Amino acid sequence: MKRTLEMLVLSLEVSKQSNIKVEIFWGLVGALLIGICSNLKFYLPFSPVPVTFQTFGVFMTALLFSPVRCGLANFFYLFLGGLGLPWFAGLTGGFLTFLGPTGGYLLGFLPAALMVSLIYYRFQWAKSFSGLVLLLTLANFGVIHLLGMIWLGWVLKISDLKVLLTIGSLPFIYGDLLKIFLVVSILKFGLKKF
């Protein structure tokens, strides 16, 4: 009996270590996806903020991965990029990127992704086409854009909301909505997730 209990405890420990390695592996895979997507980008002539596919990668990890894996993917993306891995937009990296005009948008990825993942896996309404479009739109504009514009205003010393909206949010609305519909369409029609 004692031997059986010891074997059970040992197998649980091995299983726990194995699960941690699996979660880390998938977190790194998700971070790589976001890193690749972040370098599909172009600049608008009037804004220091590039148009990228980062949010596409952020939302795909949020919806394809569990909340834990999604959180790890976004954390690893930010952490490793902050350490200098050049996978932020424009193949940049390093801690100073967070202090630049795009820092708030980058830092908004983690809470936005976690919000999406937690709600998607918890509530049935979020698994419908319209519900998922609503959820991603709220996360994109209510978290990523909001944090991004607050940071952009602080870095560039801009307190005029109209100017901040003009350079930090309004030009990106159509592209962001297109990415949101692309993510939802891929999940619904390509991967048949709901």
Side-chain angles (χ1 to χ4, degrees):
M1 176 71 169
K2 184 178 177 185
R3 178 84 174 136
T4 306
L5 188 56
E6 287 172 352
M7 294 289 284
L8 179 63
V9 169
L10 181 61
S11 69
L12 288 174
E13 286 299 315
V14 170
S15 175
K16 198 183 287 186
Q17 289 174 357
S18 175
N19 286 342
I20 290 170
K21 290 176 185 174
V22 168
E23 297 301 325
I24 289 172
F25 170 78
W26 284 109
L28 290 170
V29 167
L32 180 61
L33 171 68
I34 299 168
I36 290 169
C37 290
S38 73
N39 284 289
L40 303 172
K41 61 135 179 88
F42 60 92
Y43 284 90
L44 298 173
F46 50 83
S47 178
V49 181
V51 176
T52 72
F53 267 79
Q54 282 173 307
T55 52
F56 176 86
V58 167
F59 291 146
M60 287 301 281
T61 61
L63 298 166
L64 293 176
F65 291 178
S66 68
V68 169
R69 288 181 184 172
C70 156
L72 284 172
N74 284 274
F75 170 78
F76 286 146
Y77 173 70
L78 296 171
F79 180 73
L80 295 173
L83 289 179
L85 188 63
W87 63 5
F88 293 150
L91 294 174
T92 60
F95 179 74
L96 292 178
T97 307
F98 295 117
L99 301 179
T102 61
Y105 299 94
L106 288 169
L107 294 174
F109 291 161
L110 182 59
L114 284 172
M115 177 184 115
V116 167
S117 191
L118 289 166
I119 291 172
Y120 179 76
Y121 285 100
R122 173 71 175 94
F123 297 103
Q124 190 60 37
W125 65 263
K127 291 180 177 67
S128 70
F129 193 92
S130 59
L132 193 51
V133 167
L134 175 65
L135 176 59
L136 295 182
T137 302
L138 290 173
N140 190 77
F141 297 107
V143 179
I144 297 171
H145 276 237
L146 180 62
L147 292 174
M149 286 193 311
I150 290 169
W151 189 260
L152 183 65
W154 184 75
V155 168
L156 299 180
K157 309 286 189 257
I158 298 171
S159 58
D160 185 339
L161 182 60
K162 184 176 178 183
V163 173
L164 281 173
L165 285 168
T166 301
I167 66 171
S169 186
L170 296 177
F172 306 100
I173 289 175
Y174 293 120
D176 284 352
L177 289 174
L178 179 65
K179 288 180 274 186
I180 287 168
F181 278 99
L182 185 60
V183 167
V184 175
S185 296
I186 288 172
L187 261 70
K188 178 158 181 67
F189 303 113
L191 301 176
K192 310 244 188 269
K193 287 279 283 181
F194 57 90

